[in-house]
Amino acid sequence: MSDSHTKNTAALAALTDHAALARAWQLPALFAEDKKRFHHFSLEAAGLFLDYSKNHIDATTVSLLTGFARSCSLEQRRDAMFQGAPVNATEQRPALHTLLRAPAELRFELNGEVLSNEVQQVLQRIDQLSQRIRSGEWLGFTGKVITDVVNIGIGGSDLGPAMACAALRPFIKPGLRAHFLSNVDGHAIDAVLTNLSPETTLFIVASKSFTTQETLINARVAREWFLTKGKTADLAKHFVAVSTNAKAVAEFGIDTANMLPFWDWVGGRYSVWSAIGLSVAIAVGMDNFRAFLAGAHAMDKHFQESPLEQNMPVMLGLLGWWYRQYFGSSSHLIAPYHEDLRLFPVHLQQVDMESNGKRVTNAGIPVTSPTAPVIWGSTGTNGQHAYFQMLHQGTDLVPVDFIAAINPSHDRANQQHTLLANCFAQAEALMVGHQKDERAGHEGEALAEFRVLPGNRPSNTLLMDKLTPTTLGALLALYEHKTFVQGVLWDINSFDQWGVERGKTLAARILPELEGKSSTHTHDGSTAGLIARTLQKKH
């Protein structure tokens, strides 16, 4: 047995013994014992403030958790990622999304290529193209300015930019609207195109290979819709591409001068920082897009340079791992108390679950502990009137991340005070609960047991002064790195996603059958029955 494995086993054993004690702790009692607990268990970095004091931890827990992280070589594996090592081992690729947000003066070379120069060149092209559209220089085929930009992509080519544009709504240029299409369901594109005009609409087709089925189906529908008014020669004025397949892009009718590339070392769920963010740059302007990148870079530096005990992504990752490993928490709630962050939990679902929803270790052997929890959530005040009941009185322990901005983008202070009061109150109620009302003589006595909230339920609270491009960048990078930390703790590859391929393969077999073509493929009884019923009933 190697020294590193021995250290890892010993650290895990110590944590397991400690967790048996920690599960019996009551959070209110921990605050009563330590009057400075809030100060001891809070961090500030890159414009974000994290209060993690409402967790089943003490100083010994933090020491044991960070010790376990070190036994897993977290610091070395973090450094390897930033240095361009092939941390995506199954595809022999680096994961260099952090390079996309590094400042121009930071030179980075890998295998003889100065990748930093390539990144800056693409950023310059994003700047030029977005400025032409925002300034009105780019005109449609009838000479009208572009008023609507439709991003056609799927997965990271949709979720990241859609989330960013929603979050940065106050920064979007007046008169310019951003739309996002990903679902292959025809109802989705119908809903978008209904209110658009071919004369003033620009489509961004985002597909690295320019072969992604869902994206290409929607792109072809958009092309046909455009050609009801324009001509084939006009396509170049209304379609641009983010891709590396110049031949397919040209065949579609897009001028390859308006094709922006990105690289195989950028995973889809980390691609909003690349040319996939073109729709964001068009909507909010290049200065704001660069501020978005700068906020992420500030969090990158903090993650690289801060000791584990004072490292925000590390602490979030360790806490998530702690509850998954020892408290049976199979899900984790993201509750933003900011309407413009309504798509943030949706984007994090891909960032976390596509990254860490794995069943084997880096060595290809089955993992022996649970991995990624279910990530879910919506805006907090809406959630309070839907699923918060389960958080307070249900039988599952669900850790919560509350996210809020102290200052709003609007000028209605009373509404913001109400919003923050609700945010802080929910976190407090989850922790302190509500014990049985012993009053007698009225209906309260009969209902006393029903009113009990056990409390002792953990949460983190993340605050920013205001939601801006910079703080949004830092917030997203924080969760990207949290996900990486947990992947290291589970010893899994957070950068591949083989699990999504099988369904695509089977869909390609079923599609011809639904179109009435013969097939040599056999299916299970259920699938065969569904195909047969569809063929019988379709018009």
Side-chain angles (χ1 to χ4, degrees):
M1 184 180 292
S2 68
D3 288 345
S4 61
H5 185 74
T6 301
K7 291 177 182 177
N8 182 277
T9 303
L12 189 60
L15 261 175
T16 302
D17 291 342
H18 180 71
L21 301 174
R23 283 193 293 270
W25 292 346
Q26 295 294 311
L27 293 174
L30 294 179
F31 276 89
E33 294 165 7
D34 180 2
K35 301 302 182 183
K36 294 186 177 180
R37 183 174 173 84
F38 174 78
H39 172 74
H40 292 153
F41 298 103
S42 59
L43 289 169
E44 192 164 4
L48 304 180
F49 177 85
L50 169 65
D51 166 24
Y52 63 101
S53 60
K54 297 187 186 76
N55 282 286
H56 297 84
I57 60 171
D58 64 7
T60 300
T61 317
V62 173
S63 177
L64 289 171
L65 283 170
T66 52
F68 175 63
R70 289 189 173 96
S71 77
C72 295
S73 303
L74 174 58
E75 292 153 313
Q76 292 86 343
R77 291 171 74 171
R78 172 198 62 194
D79 295 344
M81 179 184 71
F82 278 94
Q83 291 162 6
V87 292
N88 181 355
T90 61
E91 297 177 292
Q92 280 299 296
R93 294 174 180 170
L96 282 171
H97 46 282
T98 55
L99 179 59
L100 299 171
R101 55 237 195 175
E105 62 272 16
L106 188 63
R107 189 178 190 276
F108 185 90
E109 183 176 336
L110 185 67
N111 299 326
E113 290 185 75
V114 185
L115 297 184
S116 51
N117 288 349
E118 295 180 23
V119 169
Q120 294 305 315
Q121 288 166 8
V122 172
L123 281 173
Q124 186 61 33
R125 292 186 60 193
I126 295 172
D127 190 351
Q128 293 167 350
L129 198 155
S130 62
Q131 181 56 29
R132 288 180 62 197
I133 295 164
R134 290 172 57 83
S135 68
E137 177 189 343
W138 184 300
L139 301 175
F141 73 100
T142 61
K144 295 182 178 180
V145 299
I146 299 299
T147 59
D148 293 88
V149 176
V150 181
N151 186 90
I152 303 177
I154 198 163
S157 298
D158 168 79
L159 292 168
M163 178 279 297
C165 281
L168 300 179
R169 174 193 55 79
F171 300 87
I172 293 177
K173 178 180 171 65
L176 190 60
R177 294 176 293 272
H179 312 267
F180 294 87
L181 274 172
S182 59
N183 198 338
V184 73
D185 183 351
H187 298 97
I189 195 166
D190 278 355
V192 171
L193 296 182
T194 294
N195 298 313
L196 302 183
S197 166
E199 297 177 272
T200 56
T201 300
L202 178 76
F203 294 94
I204 301 171
V205 184
S207 171
K208 186 184 296 184
S209 64
F210 219 76
T211 59
T212 308
Q213 183 190 49
E214 299 91 340
T215 299
L216 266 293
I217 287 174
N218 277 328
R220 291 181 187 120
V221 171
R223 188 180 190 274
E224 292 169 6
W225 172 81
F226 174 80
L227 290 176
T228 60
K229 299 291 184 182
K231 299 176 181 177
T232 303
D234 299 323
L235 286 169
K237 297 181 179 179
H238 292 269
F239 285 80
V240 301
V242 180
S243 179
T244 56
N245 190 342
K247 182 175 182 293
V249 167
E251 289 174 352
F252 185 91
I254 296 174
D255 186 344
T256 54
N258 297 323
M259 182 187 82
L260 299 177
F262 61 115
W263 305 268
D264 62 6
W265 42 260
V266 180
R269 52 195 174 276
Y270 306 99
S271 62
V272 68
W273 318 102
S274 72
I276 290 294
L278 174 62
S279 56
V280 184
I282 293 172
V284 304
M286 198 62 190
D287 287 347
N288 284 321
F289 187 70
R290 289 188 184 277
F292 176 55
L293 301 180
H297 178 67
M299 184 58 70
D300 293 343
K301 288 195 61 168
H302 167 74
F303 180 49
Q304 278 186 286
E305 298 171 0
S306 297
L308 300 190
E309 294 80 2
Q310 300 165 31
N311 195 305
M312 194 179 290
V314 171
M315 290 313 305
L316 274 187
L318 288 171
L319 288 168
W321 180 88
W322 172 246
Y323 287 111
R324 189 77 174 106
Q325 181 81 8
Y326 293 117
F327 289 73
S329 299
S330 59
S331 76
H332 191 105
L333 174 66
I334 307 297
Y337 276 71
H338 198 304
E339 179 64 22
D340 292 337
L341 285 174
R342 63 190 177 278
L343 296 183
F344 191 65
V346 180
H347 181 48
L348 289 190
Q349 287 178 331
Q350 186 193 26
V351 169
D352 196 303
M353 292 194 286
E354 191 170 80
S355 294
N356 289 342
K358 308 293 170 60
R359 57 171 293 278
V360 296
T361 68
N362 283 302
I365 60 176
V367 293
T368 57
S369 65
T371 55
V374 174
I375 303 297
W376 59 291
S378 63
T379 51
T381 45
N382 289 345
Q384 290 174 198
H385 295 271
Y387 47 79
F388 271 49
Q389 165 64 37
M390 182 270 284
L391 301 179
H392 288 290
Q393 291 188 311
T395 55
D396 289 319
L397 182 127
V398 181
V400 182
D401 287 357
F402 293 94
I403 304 172
I406 295 171
N407 298 295
S409 298
H410 57 75
D411 58 2
R412 293 174 291 280
N414 287 341
Q415 281 189 278
Q416 187 67 8
H417 294 159
T418 302
L419 179 73
L420 293 175
N422 275 272
C423 178
F424 301 159
Q426 289 297 324
E428 183 177 29
L430 283 170
M431 183 181 75
V432 303
H434 179 72
Q435 302 313 307
K436 188 181 295 186
D437 190 342
E438 300 294 348
R439 292 174 300 171
H442 56 76
E443 68 173 5
E445 184 177 5
L447 296 176
E449 195 63 45
F450 295 92
R451 297 180 186 274
V452 169
L453 278 67
N456 201 37
R457 305 200 169 185
S459 67
N460 300 302
T461 300
L462 274 161
L463 294 178
M464 61 195 86
D465 287 349
K466 191 173 183 178
L467 180 59
T468 65
T470 305
T471 54
L472 178 66
L475 183 66
L476 180 51
L478 168 64
Y479 278 92
E480 289 178 351
H481 294 320
K482 172 202 169 182
T483 299
F484 172 80
V485 168
Q486 293 182 327
V488 171
L489 301 179
W490 286 312
D491 190 26
I492 58 179
N493 183 354
S494 298
F495 299 107
D496 62 8
Q497 57 276 335
W498 297 103
V500 304
E501 300 301 322
R502 181 59 173 164
K504 293 181 179 179
T505 301
L506 294 177
R509 296 177 183 177
I510 294 171
L511 178 59
E513 297 177 53
L514 294 177
E515 294 173 339
K517 300 172 184 176
S518 60
S519 172
T520 59
H521 296 293
T522 59
H523 302 284
D524 64 89
S526 172
T527 304
L530 293 170
I531 293 171
R533 181 170 178 83
T534 300
L535 291 173
Q536 178 188 3
K537 293 290 186 178
K538 75 176 186 177
H539 300 297

